[in-house]
Amino acid sequence: MNADVIVVGAGLAGLVATCELTSRGKKVAVVDQENAANLGGQAFWSFGGLFLVDSPQQRRMGVKDSFELAWNDWQGSAQFDRLDDEDSWAVRWARAYVEFAAGEKRAWLDGLGIKFLPTVGWAERGDLRADGHGNSVPRFHVTWGTGPGVLKPFVRRVRQAADSGLVTFHHRHQVDELIVSGGAVQGVRGTLLAEDDSPRGVASNRDRIGEFELTAPAVIITSGGIGGNHDLVRRYWPERMGSAPESMVTGVPAYVDGRMLDISAEAGVRLVNRDRMWHYTEGLRNWDPIWPGHGIRILPGPSSMWFDALGRRLPDPCLPGYDTLSTLRHLRGTGHDHSWFVLTQKIIEKEFALSGSEQNPDITGNDRKAFLLERLLGKGAPAPVEAFMRNGADFVVAGTLDELVAKMNQLTLEPLLDTDLVRRQIEARDLQVANPFSKDSQVQGIRNARRYLGDKLGRTVAPHRILDPAAGPLIGVMLHVLTRKTLGGIQTDLDSRALGPGGEPVEGLFAAGEIAGFGGGGVHGYNALEGTFLGGCLFSGRQAGRAAAR
């Protein structure tokens, strides 16, 4: 045997599992198709948001949270409807994860040196129903250091284990097959890829230079999802969401290709909930791309007006930051792949953030002074947002609405927007901000957000008229569907053991992270509450490492 355990995939879940194994004295072979520069996988590029329940940060901001409220939110969002079959383990994973987020998670992370911003974000505010989708309260805790900050303690520990001889890295090793003998998985076979010194995230070659085989009593698969493979996204796109877009931008590197899903199925693993996925509707074409089709997501505050490609204001609950998949489903019914934000300079200065470690240099660099000066006390939009306004293909700026709509129409093959239609809707909305009460649900939501101190300080601008010249200039932003997460995958029990078609564990095989639907083959059900992707990798990777060690 080449190791006690083989971990396929050097992303966050794989590193967490490896740490758990080596802390128990196990020898681990870490296998990954990319080079050493990509250690940590796509988690490196993330904003570093983590879902926590009843945290000190929440309490300091006046937020009253509890396990009961969070579990109610999770169930309303997940909408588990395959409880006797594909969701049978997912729902158990979901409850275990919410218990973790409300209990041990914070102390465990604190012990690893992971710290959070003092303000808590209110992501995915929901479908406006108490028993429906969404976070009732802010729970999105951003890590100092963003994604690299989450990875840092695990990368450090794995490298220390490598120095002591417990970890062997096998970079540029592409797994093509799980070795099965006597019904048990005992290793992996695959292709040796040519060396490639491309920087982190840049697509690497797939030149074959040989073959390899590694054996071990246990294998943990942590190879991620399908977001970088548009063909697979379209193949499993659910009918309930309408037709798949012809044009999408890509929110993850090209190596997030989903190869190990079918390879696992060939070894007798059961794949479930493949029709569940999580893609954003606020994607931008990156003006400075790293991987092919590189897209960046806007993390919007609640004030931008959202219009479809024909200039019709989106209905409830399709509001900025509220209900991702309801918005995606609605937009897929419009016959066009893009939509629009219309906003003011006043809104963009306070409400626009861009997802990703590289788009948030102050937080990624642990520069608290820069964060305070730019985000809370500074004038103008954050520097990365300003760069997109200057250089991005999806931004237009104008002094009048007539001029703005004309510029927006220049970004499409034919002029689809009618200025009078857009104006009528904006003017109707503007009439609603004269009083501290309103019948407009978005204006109500803005005022509700500003009752939360975190939003009032840094994420939600005071209500004002979109067409007020003092708030201008006007800004139009063309939005695209951005691929991101796989919500289904390998069905696992609570020990992260991969299950076969009859529900029996496949001996010697474990799965964690996105390829396992972040636990159980789909811990999120149909909807995510945000901060739960990295958290799902942490929790399921920890479970897998501990169980494989036993």
Side-chain angles (χ1 to χ4, degrees):
M1 294 289 180
N2 299 102
D4 295 316
V5 180
I6 295 168
V7 174
V8 180
L12 178 59
L15 294 179
V16 174
T18 299
C19 286
E20 294 294 332
L21 289 159
T22 56
S23 70
R24 291 159 175 79
K26 304 300 181 183
K27 292 186 176 181
V28 182
V30 178
V31 181
D32 196 277
Q33 63 187 355
E34 298 305 313
N35 64 20
N38 286 279
L39 191 65
Q42 70 183 90
F44 177 90
W45 302 102
S46 78
F47 195 31
L50 292 171
F51 176 94
L52 292 169
V53 177
D54 192 26
S55 69
Q57 290 83 3
Q58 287 176 298
R59 293 194 291 271
R60 281 195 291 269
M61 300 301 292
V63 175
K64 297 179 181 179
D65 201 6
S66 65
F67 166 77
E68 291 76 17
L69 182 60
W71 180 230
N72 185 70
D73 285 349
W74 196 289
Q75 292 178 93
S77 297
Q79 300 167 24
F80 293 118
D81 58 3
R82 302 165 183 174
L83 293 173
D84 295 330
D85 187 18
E86 294 182 80
D87 288 335
S88 59
W89 283 103
V91 68
R92 283 178 268 190
W93 269 93
R95 185 175 178 92
Y97 178 70
V98 178
E99 289 173 345
F100 177 61
E104 184 187 359
K105 184 179 182 181
R106 184 185 63 80
W108 181 65
L109 294 172
D110 188 63
L112 293 166
I114 293 174
K115 305 298 182 182
F116 301 104
L117 271 64
T119 57
V120 183
W122 196 351
E124 207 63 14
R125 300 175 193 228
D127 64 4
L128 309 176
R129 296 182 301 117
D131 60 349
H133 167 56
N135 286 295
S136 298
V137 298
R139 297 191 177 106
F140 192 76
H141 296 67
V142 177
T143 306
W144 279 114
T146 63
V150 176
L151 284 167
K152 184 177 179 180
F154 304 105
V155 170
R156 182 182 67 249
R157 292 181 179 201
V158 169
R159 285 178 171 159
Q160 290 171 346
D163 291 341
S164 67
L166 287 177
V167 170
T168 305
F169 292 109
H170 299 268
H171 294 292
R172 303 297 290 160
H173 285 58
Q174 185 180 66
V175 174
D176 300 321
E177 177 187 358
L178 297 173
I179 300 171
V180 181
S181 178
V185 173
Q186 296 187 346
V188 297
R189 293 191 186 98
T191 301
L192 287 173
L193 300 175
E195 291 298 316
D196 192 312
D197 60 0
S198 298
R200 181 188 289 272
V202 174
S204 61
N205 75 66
R206 291 295 179 263
D207 299 337
R208 304 163 68 93
I209 61 171
E211 299 176 346
F212 75 93
E213 180 175 307
L214 295 169
T215 57
V219 174
I220 304 176
I221 305 172
T222 61
S223 56
I226 67 173
N229 187 332
H230 288 200
D231 290 339
L232 277 183
V233 170
R234 291 189 176 96
R235 182 185 308 172
Y236 293 104
W237 189 274
E239 290 185 7
R240 65 180 176 274
M241 300 302 295
S243 60
E246 295 182 12
S247 173
M248 296 182 283
V249 293
T250 308
V252 294
Y255 56 70
V256 186
D257 56 19
R259 292 181 72 254
M260 285 304 300
L261 284 161
D262 288 339
I263 291 169
S264 301
E266 291 170 4
V269 168
R270 188 183 188 211
L271 305 180
V272 295
N273 298 316
R274 299 201 71 177
D275 62 323
R276 295 179 184 170
M277 51 185 73
W278 188 257
H279 307 302
Y280 293 108
T281 49
E282 313 101 324
L284 303 173
R285 292 170 285 182
N286 193 346
W287 65 272
D288 188 20
I290 296 169
W291 54 79
H294 191 169
I296 295 293
R297 186 202 172 200
I298 298 170
L299 302 173
S303 300
S304 298
M305 293 190 71
W306 205 335
F307 298 90
D308 67 17
L310 300 179
R312 299 169 298 195
R313 191 179 180 192
L314 270 56
D316 296 342
C318 307
L319 302 171
Y322 275 69
D323 191 332
T324 293
L325 291 193
S326 286
T327 306
L328 179 59
R329 182 167 53 248
H330 174 79
L331 290 173
R332 294 313 307 139
T334 66
H336 296 274
D337 290 345
H338 71 278
S339 61
W340 295 96
F341 276 168
V342 173
L343 60 150
T344 64
Q345 179 68 25
K346 195 172 181 180
I347 291 172
I348 205 168
E349 288 179 358
K350 195 164 189 176
E351 295 198 6
F352 262 41
L354 300 173
S355 182
S357 55
E358 81 282 15
Q359 300 297 329
N360 296 276
D362 51 347
I363 305 174
T364 301
N366 283 279
D367 191 337
R368 286 149 168 85
K369 182 179 179 181
F371 173 80
L372 178 65
L373 292 176
E374 182 167 273
R375 309 245 180 179
L376 298 181
L377 302 177
K379 294 183 178 180
V385 175
E386 289 283 1
F388 263 87
M389 287 180 64
R390 290 192 308 270
N391 305 305
D394 297 314
F395 283 77
V396 294
V397 181
T400 67
L401 187 61
D402 286 350
E403 183 186 358
L404 184 77
V405 173
K407 287 185 174 182
M408 292 163 70
N409 276 329
Q410 291 174 8
L411 296 187
T412 55
L413 293 176
E414 57 180 312
L416 300 174
L417 300 172
D418 177 77
T419 305
D420 289 339
L421 173 62
V422 175
R423 185 187 304 279
R424 286 197 299 272
Q425 295 169 97
I426 295 177
E427 288 178 343
R429 177 266 184 205
D430 281 358
L431 287 169
Q432 296 291 311
V433 301
N435 295 289
F437 42 86
S438 169
K439 72 175 182 180
D440 186 280
S441 61
Q442 185 174 12
V443 175
Q444 292 173 13
I446 295 167
R447 298 195 186 281
N448 186 44
R450 285 178 59 82
R451 293 189 183 98
Y452 165 52
L453 182 61
D455 272 356
K456 185 174 184 177
L457 288 174
R459 286 291 283 156
T460 306
V461 72
H464 62 275
R465 292 186 297 113
I466 298 292
L467 297 181
D468 182 356
L474 293 168
I475 301 167
V477 187
M478 189 178 191
L479 305 174
H480 310 268
V481 175
L482 176 129
T483 63
R484 185 75 91 192
K485 294 296 180 186
T486 312
L487 298 187
I490 297 173
Q491 192 172 41
T492 61
D493 65 12
L494 284 173
D495 282 329
S496 289
R497 295 184 298 177
L499 304 179
E504 72 288 351
V506 177
E507 186 177 346
L509 187 63
F510 301 79
E514 191 172 351
I515 195 169
F518 302 94
V523 69
H524 298 93
Y526 287 95
N527 291 283
L529 288 175
E530 297 289 25
T532 55
F533 298 133
L534 291 180
C537 289
L538 292 169
F539 185 55
S540 62
R542 194 177 83 147
Q543 293 289 95
R546 293 180 177 184
R550 290 197 296 271

